[in-house]
Amino acid sequence: MRKIVSMPGDGIGKVVLPEAVRVLKAAGFEAEYIHADIGWEFWCNEGNPLPERTLKILDEHKIALFGAITSKPKAEAAKELAPGLRDKGYVYYSPIVGLRQHFDLDICTRPCKTFKGNPLNFIRRGKDGIEEPEVDVVIFRQNTEGLYCGVEWTDPPDEVYKAFNTHPKMKKFASCPKEELAISTRIFTKKGTERILRAAFEHASKFGYKSVTVCEKANVIRETSGMMLAMAKEMVTEYDGIDLWSTNIDAQMMWLTKNPENYGVLVSGNMFGDIVSDGFAGLIGGLGFACSANVGENVAIFEPTHGSAPKYASYERSIVNPAAMILSACMMLDHIGETEKAKKIREAVLEVVSEGKVKTYDMMKLTGSQEVLDNGAASTAEMTDAIIEKL
Ligand code: NAI
Ligand code: MG
């Protein structure tokens, strides 16, 4: 039987992941789920939110579902360590960022597709009244390099400072004392850039998207964004019928609401991909619907974009929307070739959403609280049940 690693993590991750597994089962997907530890509890009790044993399990089984983890700033995290572990040099880092780096999960895919009838869909004023544009965008975000690669310093070491000062543009920082300098670098490699572009073009070609948009800022960030755009211009010549567009991240965030239906596949570096994918997700229902895949050469991890929503974690009957996790599980099915089952589940979600009879609190635009269940909102389990019923 196929083995799937299950990493619920913290907070509502523990709630939504089992719901997705229920749906997978109902769709006829047979698997053995292998639990792996990750998250806050393991930071507090072991000084490591991503234990070695979890890396081993992933190494062995390759395909994983992930819920969400809780992250806190360094100093706050240090205070919550078990007394015996304090002042022993443990430093907190986000285990999901750790996973992406460790397994080189360099391709992040975030589809944003409108479910018709979702009351959270973006609407705008058009020439002839209110319009509801149908969004069908897939964002490819380079997941391991760029501004999130972690190469950064405050008060950089002398040799780094010296090296930076060989750049003529450093002159304008000459009057700033070294200890007052904070530097975060943005590193793109040709290999990483090639891989994310290739993934974007291949997806566009396979699923009939008419355009691939490089969303960066090549006019200002000329080396990194510039390299991505130049490589895309070469690559597009291999793909008949696909146009290459280029937008700047700032302008793209404005056009997002002007003409989102005009975009197909978007491709960006790490940070701009993070930004633009949240932007598009907002048009199709937000965190309750935003799903994602982190894919490397050997390991692939599927997760909702949302976090652990700690304020809802302890509810006796959970209120959060399981759709983002369920749709992430569909991405997993696609990845392992179970496309029919993925399609069936997406259709079931669409049916429930369009019917509009069963809605979680976010779809009713209510403020989250335990009372929403008395005011007509479906619980997490009821939403899942409705989807399973359609299956
Ligand atoms: P969050 O995504 O956990 O929650 C933000 C708000 O969005 C929630 O308060 C809730 O109103 C809503 N929301 C989230 N998921 C929802 C769902 N499935 N259905 C309905 N509404 C939903 O982000 P926040 O509050 O910024 O962070 C909470 C914790 O999660 C932090 O410790 C943060 O570091 C962590 N986090 C983890 C991520 C991950 O595991 N990949 C991603 C983002 C945040
Ligand atoms: Mg983000």
Side-chain angles (χ1 to χ4, degrees):
M1 199 181 323
R2 191 176 260 288
K3 295 195 169 72
I4 304 290
V5 181
S6 159
M7 297 184 283
D10 298 310
I12 63 164
K14 286 197 171 86
V15 174
V16 292
L17 197 147
E19 296 296 71
V21 169
R22 270 208 300 139
V23 173
L24 287 169
K25 212 172 189 172
F29 178 67
E30 296 287 339
E32 182 189 333
Y33 293 90
I34 297 166
H35 177 90
D37 295 336
I38 190 168
W40 198 247
E41 193 187 326
F42 306 98
W43 160 251
C44 296
N45 298 324
E46 301 177 21
N48 184 2
L50 178 57
E52 271 307 313
R53 58 185 179 278
T54 294
L55 298 177
K56 261 208 176 126
I57 293 174
L58 284 164
D59 233 348
E60 187 178 346
H61 301 295
K62 318 278 188 236
I63 306 288
L65 290 173
F66 169 66
I69 47 88
T70 296
S71 264
K72 295 185 191 178
K74 253 204 274 191
E76 228 176 291
K79 273 193 226 144
E80 292 193 35
L81 264 179
L85 296 175
R86 280 180 212 160
D87 306 315
K88 295 234 162 85
Y90 293 108
V91 180
Y92 182 79
Y93 64 91
S94 158
I96 180 65
V97 176
L99 278 176
R100 289 173 188 152
Q101 298 292 347
H102 182 89
F103 291 108
D104 199 12
L105 306 175
D106 61 337
I107 314 276
C108 175
T109 314
R110 294 185 166 181
C112 296
K113 191 167 162 45
T114 302
F115 285 104
K116 270 197 195 145
N118 188 345
L120 297 173
N121 286 343
F122 169 69
I123 54 169
R124 72 178 167 222
R125 195 184 299 279
K127 223 168 38 208
D128 310 305
I130 298 298
E131 299 168 347
E132 187 174 314
E134 222 178 293
V135 179
D136 181 3
V137 161
V138 187
I139 291 112
F140 283 81
R141 162 191 175 192
Q142 208 298 331
N143 219 16
T144 48
E145 305 183 344
L147 201 51
Y148 297 175
C149 70
V151 182
E152 48 183 9
W153 304 267
T154 299
D155 188 8
D158 286 334
E159 61 270 39
V160 172
Y161 186 61
K162 245 204 215 138
F164 266 91
N165 277 312
T166 60
H167 197 290
K169 290 266 162 76
M170 278 299 287
K171 276 206 191 83
K172 60 174 162 282
F173 301 109
S175 63
C176 176
K178 188 168 81 69
E179 59 277 11
E180 288 179 21
L181 266 186
I183 299 176
S184 301
T185 62
R186 188 177 197 263
I187 300 176
F188 281 32
T189 65
K190 204 160 179 187
K191 180 178 172 218
T193 308
E194 153 98 26
R195 275 178 52 81
I196 195 68
L197 287 171
R198 185 63 70 190
F201 276 105
E202 282 298 308
H203 190 90
S205 161
K206 188 166 169 196
F207 295 101
Y209 289 94
K210 300 262 177 304
S211 63
V212 169
T213 303
V214 171
C215 176
E216 277 286 320
K217 184 100 182 174
N219 57 338
V220 178
I221 318 176
R222 286 184 299 211
E223 301 305 327
T224 44
S225 298
M227 178 166 88
M228 181 177 271
L229 184 57
M231 288 174 72
K233 281 181 180 163
E234 264 181 43
M235 202 176 282
V236 70
T237 60
E238 298 172 40
Y239 294 89
D240 267 351
I242 297 178
D243 290 331
L244 175 65
W245 297 350
S246 161
T247 58
N248 287 336
I249 178 69
D250 47 351
Q252 179 73 69
M253 293 313 286
M254 180 182 62
W255 290 329
L256 201 68
T257 49
K258 194 167 161 257
N259 60 341
E261 67 273 45
N262 291 1
Y263 297 92
V265 169
L266 267 86
V267 56
S268 300
N270 207 338
M271 186 198 203
F272 295 161
D274 195 9
I275 294 172
V276 77
S277 61
D278 274 16
F280 272 103
L283 306 177
I284 59 109
L287 289 175
F289 289 89
C291 54
S292 77
N294 304 281
V295 178
E297 279 176 285
N298 298 309
V299 171
I301 299 176
F302 302 84
E303 55 156 340
T305 304
H306 65 71
S308 60
K311 61 184 173 187
Y312 305 139
S314 59
Y315 282 17
E316 203 172 308
R317 285 177 70 210
S318 177
I319 61 165
V320 297
N321 192 342
M325 183 79 233
I326 292 167
L327 295 169
S328 303
C330 289
M331 294 185 80
M332 178 193 77
L333 290 176
D334 280 338
H335 181 80
I336 60 178
E338 296 274 9
T339 48
E340 272 311 306
K341 293 188 179 87
K343 189 162 164 257
K344 243 172 52 181
I345 296 174
R346 286 194 185 100
E347 280 165 6
V349 174
L350 174 61
E351 257 185 84
V352 171
V353 171
S354 335
E355 243 175 45
K357 281 197 268 188
V358 182
K359 292 192 284 244
T360 44
Y361 84 97
D362 54 320
M363 298 170 71
M364 299 172 71
K365 304 182 197 219
L366 297 171
T367 304
S369 75
Q370 194 74 85
E371 282 71 57
V372 298
L373 298 177
D374 303 324
N375 298 324
S379 68
T380 309
E382 284 165 348
M383 186 69 179
T384 311
D385 290 341
I387 293 165
I388 289 175
E389 197 169 302
K390 296 298 178 194
L391 284 170

